[in-house]
Amino acid sequence: MIFADKLIKLRRQKGWSQEELAEQMSVTRQSVSKWESMQSLPDLDRILQLSKLFGVSTDYLLKDEIEDEQAEEQEQSGRYVTVQEADDFLTAKKAVAVPVSIGVFLCILSPICLLMLGALSENTKSRISENMAGGLGLIILIGFIAAAVTIFIISGTKTSEFEYMEKEILIADANVIKKVKYEKDKFSRIFTRFCTAGTILCVLSLIPLFAGIIINEDDDVVATASLCLTIFIVAIGVMLLTRVNIINNAYNMLLQEGDYSKDKKKRNPLVSAVTVTYWLTATAIFLVWSFLTNKWNITWVVFAAAGVLFPAVLAVTNLFVKKK
């Protein structure tokens, strides 16, 4: 395959016209037309620019019939995605975005009743015993978690047939790519608004915590109520972030961008295994510590610490994968 054919193929895979490629390259449409009709070849700087733009090597662009056909087949190997499959996948992801975000909300909210009942049981004016507070709080916590897990399982079954979108290398024609990009661009405003609102809520969630300390730092009920309000606000913020990120990630999976690029998909199994192991370990530490000490108002910091350390764990994992 000669350079002109490769350029046409790469441009069509992106869903671009000659005019759109010319804009990307800061050249005229006539220049692109001449490249594709073999009337001229781009200079070295343009070759490098094309290499970065399409994510291929300069060798791939410049080598003609002597290129390694097996390497090309390996590079292009993957699962073909039709327009109907892409539509069905996006529809399924949009359908589960709200339920899954509610499930996440319930998980974060689950310890609130346990914390409040525990604080009330220590108040001399309250008639709630410590055993009653602990038992009732745990029942509510387990109920919230059970409801969330049920939501996750049901949502998972609705999207299980599309698991290959996340794990396999995809091949989509220009129509699929162009359609998905158009929908993602329309969704970008909603995505930005929800992410902004969710982030602001997470930041503002600290205000009730500090306010409770200022009002009466010696009153455990006030301090715990402030903590519960902080957790509630965080839960709302994370729910908003989860909802739009599920949909945005669906677009990224189809376009193979961001965390779902071809390179990241190749090393995804190890990263996924580390992620699952990490959070299962954090959960186990939280539960063991909580049940042994019965200090649920303190042990929740395990998840806060785990969240802070998680990016570092991912960075080390990715570094290990690259070296390997």
Side-chain angles (χ1 to χ4, degrees), residues 218-230:
D218 296 325
D219 191 331
D220 290 339
V221 175
V222 173
T224 304
S226 302
L227 173 61
C228 290
L229 182 56
T230 292

Side-chain angles (χ1 to χ4, degrees), residues 191-212:
F191 178 73
T192 301
R193 290 173 185 170
F194 272 66
C195 284
T196 302
T199 303
I200 291 174
L201 283 173
C202 290
V203 173
L204 294 179
S205 65
L206 294 173
I207 293 177
L209 190 61
F210 293 135

Side-chain angles (χ1 to χ4, degrees), residues 22-36:
E23 290 179 7
Q24 296 280 346
M25 296 291 296
S26 300
V27 298
T28 63
R29 187 200 64 80
Q30 287 76 11
S31 296
V32 174
S33 178
K34 288 181 179 179
W35 296 344
E36 293 186 353

Side-chain angles (χ1 to χ4, degrees), residues 273-286:
V274 170
T275 300
V276 171
T277 304
Y278 179 86
W279 286 110
L280 285 176
T281 303
T283 303
I285 293 172
F286 165 72

Side-chain angles (χ1 to χ4, degrees), residues 25-27 35 42-51 61:
M25 296 291 296
S26 300
V27 298
W35 296 344
D43 57 30
L44 182 57
D45 289 338
R46 299 297 184 195
I47 291 291
L48 291 172
Q49 190 176 352
L50 286 168
S51 173
L61 291 173

